[in-house]
Amino acid sequence: MFEHWTKSILGLAAATALPAFGQSTLPGSFTDTGVAATPLEMNAAGNIFVGEFNVAPTQAHAFRWSSSSNSLVDMGTLGGSSSVAFGINAKGDIIVGQATIAGDTATHAFVWSAASGIMADLGTLGGTYAAATGVSRTGDVIAGASMIAGDVSMHAFRWSATSNVMTDLGTLGGRTSSGLALSADGNVVVGYSYLADNTTRRAFRWTAASNLMSDLGSLGGTMSSATATNAAGDVVVGYSTLAGGTTPHAFRWTAASGLMSDLGTLGSNYASATGTNAAGDVVIGNSYPAGNTGVQGFRWTSGNGMQSIEAWLAANGVSVGNVRTSSATAINAEGNVIVGTLSNGNVYLARVPSSAAGGGAGLIDAQQFNSGLAKVSNSGLLAANDAETAMDGLHSNPMQMLLAPGRATFWAAGDAGRQTRAPYDSKLGIAEIGYGYRASQHWQVNLAAGRTYSQADTGLGGRTSARSTYVAPEVILSMPASSYLTLTGYYGQGRADIDRVYLNAGLPLGTSGHPDQETVGARLRWDMVDLARWGKVRLTPYTSLTWMRTRTQGYREQGGAFPVDWRARVDRTTTARIGLDAVYPLTAASTLQLRAEGAHRFERTGANTSGEVLGLYGFDFAGQDIKQDWLRLGLGMQSRIGDGIASMMLNATTQGEAPSYWISANYRWEF
């Protein structure tokens, strides 16, 4: 296969440090599966991955994972116990690999299509084993290797949808050959084959026009292998030994010259090419630097020769910290974006600007970068939680605001608190003023206006703050048996100021965004005032149902080398509460209040967050799991002070979206 990305990211482990609510489209992000999954190839857009995942300790199945579904799909087998996907076309709707048949008596090459959702058996060349390893841009041509009849040898094959036949491409005279990659149209296949002595391995290039497998030679040694080809199929890259040597050098072969060129090394005696761009003028691979201090990824061009990825970035103005690459395994069509692994085992993505592709220059550790994105995505909940606290924190004592008929009140109030439970680390503050008037025995109307503020840590020194101005109209209706029905509305407008910090080539760099936010909500509450007494203690049970909807506008970050285009996000909360207020008179002017409340949120997960790292890949983070049930305890006091009435309550919750602890204070005048 050759399209936007030309080579697979082989053997990258799936375990990452991403939070359970964070998913992305880069390898190593399949934490939602709960199993070990290894992505082996990605499509052109970088939003679909295929590979294998463990269904048992020694048994694996092929999978397909896409950002749109945000889930890993088990592609099954051909009737046996195992399978693995090796290749995917540009669109991501055709996948190839190998799978065992019923009884596990043989392994056959397969092709899977998204249209049918079925794994089709491509068979073998007569033997008991075949594997499809490459697929053309459109998915109608497939290459790989298969055992021939009698399992006496393995040959490269090419299959096309037009003929629906697996064609034996033969060998260069020996018993074994294998097709590893194709041109964009599938009319060129490259790989390796043994010569007649069955000890000399050579890179080959097969073309549909000639129907012949050509020996591409070597750099003087006895071994060479082709690993990738460009879009047209007229440039081939791989590795070959030198005369008298046993360790290989990377090579680049062109049809124009018919020659294999030695690309050299990074200073040692080893290098291997793993991919090339669409034009074939940029080559990537792996090599040891001088002193053999550890393999590094490289990028080669005729103008600059072979450079380590770190040196390539530095030459393009990127300050490189202590990050070190250990491979380069995939490259985009233009040749300015490279993917590989770091020395810590994480996947990296390196980029420099180009004429056709924008974006800044740098390198990101995909695991760290996506973990940071997940933290920022969670900050969309700040405004929702602020509104919820205003509604069921600051306005959680409507019976204290109840007036005598014909009386009015004016108040000033505030909340301050902190959320310390993972994944939160935030603080909040709310201030409001309000007016209330009880027109008759049957109803009272209140109107409040206020401001909310909250701030959360998003890692590496980044912060997100949310500010909002709100109004909260309220009606209290008198019901039979000394009970009251309170209907409260909420409307808030504000914005979030989001400063995201990430590591670019190991050094901190920041971007910022300022999306608008809007919250609407309503609460229905029923209080049964003084339903029971226990000595001097008056008991008032209550229940409520609160609904909130917060929309965070989509926005594009400013600054940094890897800005993100975030799509709009809508958070919804529906929460039921049941509680009991116990009021004890301390003096004629003061009372003590104790509150116990249980809450249940009906949503099991939060809203998904999606966007695009500009010019690179899309992501879709699943909404975090919601802690649906929690308890709240409150201890408060109300007392007449001066010309007004002051009240204060300390609150704490066991878990959930509410602040871990907060204090509510109110001072009001009646007239």
Side-chain angles (χ1 to χ4, degrees), residues 418-467:
R418 191 168 185 97
Q419 170 66 284
T420 59
R421 290 180 292 269
Y424 303 99
D425 181 9
S426 61
K427 56 187 178 182
L428 67 87
I430 304 173
E432 76 167 32
I433 57 173
Y435 172 81
Y437 175 68
R438 189 168 183 181
S440 73
Q441 185 70 30
H442 303 292
W443 61 277
Q444 176 176 325
V445 62
N446 300 324
L447 180 63
R451 289 276 290 172
T452 67
Y453 171 81
S454 58
Q455 185 182 87
D457 178 10
T458 53
L460 297 175
R463 287 188 177 87
T464 294
S465 59
R467 295 174 174 84

Side-chain angles (χ1 to χ4, degrees), residues 58-84:
T58 59
Q59 182 181 341
H61 281 191
F63 75 81
R64 178 181 187 266
W65 183 93
S66 70
S67 62
S68 59
S69 65
N70 198 34
S71 63
L72 182 149
V73 175
D74 185 346
M75 296 169 60
T77 70
L78 292 173
S81 61
S82 63
S83 62
V84 56

Side-chain angles (χ1 to χ4, degrees), residues 93-232:
D93 59 347
I94 303 294
I95 298 167
V96 301
Q98 69 179 46
T100 54
I101 64 173
D104 290 336
T105 57
T107 297
H108 287 191
F110 76 77
V111 58
W112 178 96
S113 72
S116 67
I118 296 174
M119 185 181 287
D121 189 346
L122 297 182
T124 71
L125 290 173
T128 60
Y129 172 84
T133 54
V135 59
S136 64
R137 181 190 298 273
T138 57
D140 58 346
V141 182
I142 298 168
S146 172
M147 300 298 290
I148 64 173
D151 289 341
V152 293
S153 62
M154 185 169 69
H155 287 189
F157 75 78
R158 178 180 181 269
W159 176 96
S160 73
T162 303
S163 65
N164 194 27
V165 172
M166 185 181 288
T167 302
D168 188 342
L169 301 187
T171 72
L172 293 174
R175 288 192 297 268
T176 302
S177 65
S178 179
L180 298 179
L182 299 89
S183 59
D185 60 9
N187 288 329
V188 176
V189 179
V190 301
Y192 69 86
S193 175
Y194 282 86
L195 303 184
D197 60 8
N198 286 311
T199 59
T200 304
R201 189 170 79 176
R202 290 291 172 84
F204 79 76
R205 177 177 179 264
W206 177 96
T207 67
S210 67
N211 195 27
L212 292 175
M213 182 181 288
S214 302
D215 183 349
L216 300 186
S218 73
L219 294 174
T222 60
M223 184 275 292
S224 65
S225 181
T227 56
T229 182
N230 68 333

Side-chain angles (χ1 to χ4, degrees), residues 156-413:
F157 75 78
R158 178 180 181 269
W159 176 96
S160 73
T162 303
S163 65
N164 194 27
V165 172
M166 185 181 288
T167 302
D168 188 342
L169 301 187
T171 72
L172 293 174
R175 288 192 297 268
T176 302
S177 65
S178 179
L180 298 179
L182 299 89
S183 59
D185 60 9
N187 288 329
V188 176
V189 179
V190 301
Y192 69 86
S193 175
Y194 282 86
L195 303 184
D197 60 8
N198 286 311
T199 59
T200 304
R201 189 170 79 176
R202 290 291 172 84
F204 79 76
R205 177 177 179 264
W206 177 96
T207 67
S210 67
N211 195 27
L212 292 175
M213 182 181 288
S214 302
D215 183 349
L216 300 186
S218 73
L219 294 174
T222 60
M223 184 275 292
S224 65
S225 181
T227 56
T229 182
N230 68 333
D234 58 359
V235 177
V236 181
V237 300
Y239 55 90
S240 172
T241 54
L242 308 182
T246 58
T247 55
H249 281 201
F251 76 77
R252 177 177 179 266
W253 177 96
T254 67
S257 68
L259 298 176
M260 184 180 287
S261 301
D262 186 350
L263 302 186
T265 71
L266 289 175
S268 68
N269 57 359
Y270 165 82
S272 174
T274 58
T276 183
N277 66 330
D281 57 356
V282 181
V283 182
I284 61 166
N286 312 310
S287 177
Y288 281 98
N292 291 332
T293 54
V295 69
Q296 288 180 270
F298 74 75
R299 181 182 186 269
W300 175 95
T301 63
S302 60
N304 297 315
M306 184 179 293
Q307 299 173 293
S308 68
I309 300 300
E310 295 88 327
W312 170 59
L313 291 172
N316 284 275
V318 178
S319 297
V320 179
N322 59 359
V323 3
R324 181 184 174 90
T325 64
S326 62
S327 72
T329 51
I331 185 170
N332 71 332
E334 192 170 354
N336 71 307
V337 180
I338 297 171
V339 172
T341 53
L342 296 169
S343 57
N344 64 5
N346 292 351
V347 177
Y348 75 82
L349 193 151
R351 175 178 68 185
V352 300
S354 68
S355 58
L363 177 148
I364 55 174
D365 178 326
Q367 184 170 311
Q368 293 177 350
F369 190 83
N370 290 327
S371 178
L373 290 181
K375 288 183 178 180
V376 170
S377 75
N378 186 52
S379 25
L381 290 173
L382 285 178
N385 291 342
D386 292 348
E388 182 89 4
T389 303
M391 185 81 82
D392 288 292
L394 204 59
H395 285 257
S396 64
N397 281 305
M399 293 301 96
Q400 283 189 350
M401 309 296 288
L402 196 62
L403 301 167
R407 299 281 288 174
T409 184
F410 177 80
W411 72 84

Side-chain angles (χ1 to χ4, degrees), residues 404-648:
R407 299 281 288 174
T409 184
F410 177 80
W411 72 84
D415 273 5
R418 191 168 185 97
Q419 170 66 284
T420 59
R421 290 180 292 269
Y424 303 99
D425 181 9
S426 61
K427 56 187 178 182
L428 67 87
I430 304 173
E432 76 167 32
I433 57 173
Y435 172 81
Y437 175 68
R438 189 168 183 181
S440 73
Q441 185 70 30
H442 303 292
W443 61 277
Q444 176 176 325
V445 62
N446 300 324
L447 180 63
R451 289 276 290 172
T452 67
Y453 171 81
S454 58
Q455 185 182 87
D457 178 10
T458 53
L460 297 175
R463 287 188 177 87
T464 294
S465 59
R467 295 174 174 84
S468 177
T469 300
Y470 69 88
V471 293
E474 187 171 76
V475 176
I476 303 176
L477 301 175
S478 177
M479 306 295 288
S482 297
S483 63
Y484 293 86
L485 193 66
T486 303
L487 178 62
T488 309
Y490 185 96
Y491 179 78
Q493 276 193 337
R495 77 172 195 181
D497 295 313
I498 302 173
D499 296 319
R500 181 174 65 88
V501 178
Y502 61 93
L503 296 180
N504 182 17
L507 300 174
L509 192 66
T511 63
S512 62
H514 310 282
D516 291 336
Q517 295 182 312
E518 180 183 64
T519 302
V520 294
R523 182 191 66 185
L524 185 65
R525 174 173 168 137
W526 184 31
D527 288 84
M528 291 158 280
V529 178
D530 298 343
L531 182 66
R533 291 179 180 270
W534 181 31
K536 292 184 178 181
V537 178
R538 293 172 290 142
L539 302 176
T540 298
Y542 64 88
T543 184
S544 69
L545 181 66
T546 305
W547 173 85
M548 308 291 291
R549 177 187 181 276
T550 299
R551 184 182 190 276
T552 302
Q553 185 183 47
Y555 68 99
R556 176 169 294 186
E557 293 176 339
Q558 301 298 312
F562 295 90
V564 172
D565 201 350
W566 296 86
R567 299 188 184 96
R569 166 181 174 143
V570 176
D571 291 278
R572 293 179 175 85
T573 65
T574 308
T575 309
R577 291 174 169 83
I578 184 169
L580 180 68
D581 284 336
V583 177
Y584 177 79
L586 295 174
T587 67
S590 301
T591 59
L592 185 69
Q593 180 181 356
L594 180 65
R595 166 167 292 178
E597 178 184 274
H600 173 77
R601 181 168 170 181
F602 291 92
E603 293 83 9
R604 295 186 176 182
T605 60
N608 279 24
T609 303
S610 60
E612 178 187 356
V613 184
L614 292 175
L616 294 178
Y617 64 91
F619 60 86
D620 188 350
F621 295 137
Q624 70 182 69
D625 292 334
I626 299 296
K627 296 184 182 298
Q628 293 180 270
D629 301 293
W630 66 90
L631 296 175
R632 169 191 175 187
L633 294 176
L635 178 63
M637 177 178 288
Q638 178 173 282
S639 181
R640 182 169 291 278
I641 300 176
D643 295 331
I645 301 172
S647 61
M648 180 178 293

